[in-house]
Amino acid sequence: MEPIYTAEALATGAGRNGHVHSSDGRVDLDLAVPQSMGGSGDGANPEQLFAAGYAACFHSALQMVARGAGADLGESSVGARVSIGKAGEGFGLAVELEVVIPDLPHDEAQALADKAHQVCPYSNATRGNIDVTITVSED
């Protein structure tokens, strides 16, 4: 791979109960373990950051493949749910993506989502490593 852009971030403090900031200052967040995992929930967490990144990246890939197919996505959106749970001796992740393209027939929207899943960098990075489920909804 020949890099086009490189993001840089630094985590400090107590990991999931610490702080994270990017080298350009655009990301500057306190982190906290979610309440459901025994923490305070008083900050962002890595799963939220991953969900936001995956949703944005997948939506961009969807727009790219739609342009290539001459399709109009209209008021489309992509939502991401990232779950963390016990997996063997450690922890694992799972992702659910919900693609909404209200102005296209379901089969056409599904074909675009499937193609986006093949070109999205997050999808390529997670393929074979974690479960990713893609659901195409009409609203």
Side-chain angles (χ1 to χ4, degrees):
M1 181 193 82
E2 186 175 327
I4 299 170
Y5 168 76
T6 300
E8 189 174 339
L10 179 67
T12 57
R16 286 179 167 270
N17 283 311
H19 190 86
V20 65
H21 70 273
S22 62
S23 60
D24 64 2
R26 298 269 182 201
V27 175
D28 191 0
L29 301 169
D30 288 329
L31 300 174
V33 174
Q35 288 181 338
S36 64
M37 293 175 65
S40 71
D42 290 335
N45 63 65
E47 291 71 37
Q48 290 171 323
L49 299 173
F50 187 55
Y54 204 158
C57 190
F58 196 91
H59 199 201
S60 185
L62 184 66
Q63 291 168 341
M64 182 185 77
V65 299
R67 274 191 307 277
D72 182 3
L73 295 181
E75 295 295 320
S76 63
S77 64
V78 175
R81 296 175 125 195
V82 174
S83 300
I84 185 169
K86 291 290 263 172
E89 297 291 316
F91 291 87
L93 298 174
V95 175
E96 298 174 47
L97 297 174
E98 182 180 14
V99 176
V100 178
I101 309 174
D103 299 329
L104 287 182
H106 185 271
D107 290 347
E108 189 176 342
Q110 184 69 58
L112 291 172
D114 292 344
K115 191 166 185 180
H117 190 45
Q118 296 306 309
V119 300
C120 173
Y122 276 64
S123 292
N124 288 333
T126 59
R127 188 170 288 109
N129 297 310
I130 65 174
D131 290 333
V132 177
T133 303
I134 300 172
T135 304
V136 175
S137 303
E138 295 178 14
D139 54 43

